[in-house]
Structures are given as structure tokens and as C-alpha cells.
Amino acid sequence: MGGWSKEEARKYGEKLRIDREQYREFSKTAGCLFDAKRLDVDCRFLDLWDARDFCEKFCRALPCCVVSISTTMEYYKILLDELKGSNSHALMNGENDNSPCLGNDILGWDIGGFHSFLCNSLQKELPEARFNDVGLLSNVFQEAEEFARQIEGKGEPVEWIPCRIGMHGQTAEFDRLTGGGRWERQDSPHGQSVF
């Protein structure tokens, strides 16, 4: 979250549209959250309230929103096994993700962070895959599960986990750029959330 040199910090602050004092507060807040194991090494917040608060304080001028990554218990247990011995703090284990759905993805856990099946061009293996205007699968979650089974063992040596991507609030600029609250809610059983 930001650069180490003064020049990198200045450029990062410009991207965030915050001044030097706000950038110092941004860095201090991120450091405190990380030290408290509430912000992971891949900049993933482990608590929705922390993510919302951070976004509200430091990202007001940007077209952004807080997103959640969630999956079912079956896949959550696979991720727990993957995390043993990793440099990740943990996954958030909690409530159902009832946020509006942005779409689905198939993610692999690799060296302390997630990456999409798209990083390996595995969409070529899935002719039935459909994508929405933000680049996520528009197929229902159960189809994403089937896609994950179809690509297992392909691409990087990771477990491919079907995930639902939810949206939690957004800025007016995000609304303007994406067309606002036109995301359709997609109901499916998601018991474990990762923020």
C-alpha cells in the first residue's frame, strides 16, 4: 500500500488524490491494521468494517468500492489447508455474504495471495463461460463450481476455488463509471467470506 521512497509515496498519494498529511495517516493506519493482523500481506482486509472505514477515509475521491470474496464451506476448507504454513494471517470466517453480487471468479491461492483463472488463460478451456462488463463470470455460482472442476490440474499448480464477488457500498464516481446499482443479486449458499 504505497511506496517506500518519498517519490513513490508522492506518486501513490497523487493516485489516491490525497495530500502528504493524509498519506502519512493512510500509511500509519495500514501499518497498524497489518500489525494487528487485520490487513493481510496481499492488502486484503480481514474485517468488513475495517475495509469500509479505510475506504471511507482514504478513497473518497476515487471510483472504488469494497468487495468481498466468498465461497461455500467445501471450498473454504480447501483454502484453510492451503493457508497452513503460508505467510497469510487468515481468512475471515463468518456470516453469509448477502451483498449485491458483482459476478463470480475462480481463484487460486498462490504464494500468499489470490489470482484468477484468467491469469492462466483458462477461459479458453470453458466455452460456456460468459463475462460481465467488469470482467467477472456472469454464470451462476453452480456453473462456476463446474468450471473449477473442469480446469483442475490445468495452469499453475493450485486448487481452483469458485468464488462469489460481492459489492459493499461505493462512491458516486464508481456509480457514474459503472452505471450504479444495476448489479443483480445472485443467491447461492455462501457461508464463508474473505475480505
Side-chain angles (χ1 to χ4, degrees):
M1 291 197 150
W4 297 106
S5 73
K6 286 184 180 182
E7 181 61 16
E8 288 174 336
R10 183 190 63 75
K11 288 179 182 178
Y12 202 75
E14 285 177 3
K15 286 182 181 180
L16 289 173
R17 300 180 193 156
I18 57 178
D19 62 30
R20 287 176 58 170
E21 184 57 37
Q22 290 169 316
Y23 182 81
R24 277 194 286 277
E25 182 64 24
F26 167 88
S27 295
K28 179 182 173 188
T29 302
C32 289
L33 288 168
F34 183 77
D35 291 343
K37 299 188 184 297
R38 292 166 40 200
L39 180 65
D40 213 331
V41 294
D42 59 0
C43 299
R44 195 169 21 92
F45 292 91
L46 301 179
D47 183 87
L48 176 59
W49 302 111
D50 287 337
R52 286 179 172 166
D53 185 53
F54 197 89
C55 190
E56 178 70 25
K57 284 181 183 173
F58 303 111
C59 303
R60 299 192 84 163
L62 299 175
C64 62
C65 71
V66 174
V67 298
S68 59
I69 305 167
S70 56
T71 193
T72 60
M73 184 56 80
E74 170 188 358
Y75 298 104
Y76 180 77
K77 288 178 181 177
I78 293 169
L79 283 172
L80 285 178
D81 287 341
E82 291 284 322
L83 288 169
K84 290 178 183 166
S86 81
N87 60 354
S88 176
H89 295 319
L91 298 177
M92 181 179 173
N93 182 357
E95 310 97 35
N96 289 333
D97 187 349
N98 295 318
S99 63
C101 183
L102 285 172
N104 294 300
D105 202 345
I106 303 169
L107 302 176
W109 179 260
D110 190 25
I111 312 173
F114 290 105
H115 64 87
S116 174
F117 76 113
L118 298 172
C119 298
N120 289 253
S121 298
L122 293 175
Q123 75 278 7
K124 295 174 185 176
E125 303 285 330
L126 305 169
E128 303 86 23
R130 295 180 315 277
F131 296 90
N132 62 26
D133 56 351
V134 293
L136 294 170
L137 289 167
S138 59
N139 302 77
V140 297
F141 185 80
Q142 290 76 12
E143 291 174 303
E145 287 182 291
E146 180 55 35
F147 294 159
R149 284 188 279 279
Q150 290 176 35
I151 63 171
E152 197 57 50
K154 298 179 181 175
E156 294 182 45
V158 297
E159 294 264 6
W160 294 112
I161 307 292
C163 296
R164 176 191 185 275
I165 311 300
M167 182 175 65
H168 300 266
Q170 67 266 3
T171 65
E173 181 67 3
F174 183 87
D175 278 346
R176 186 185 69 74
L177 291 173
T178 63
R182 60 191 171 95
W183 305 109
E184 293 179 20
R185 183 158 175 216
Q186 195 181 66
D187 292 321
S188 57
H190 301 283
Q192 305 303 317
S193 297
V194 180
F195 294 99

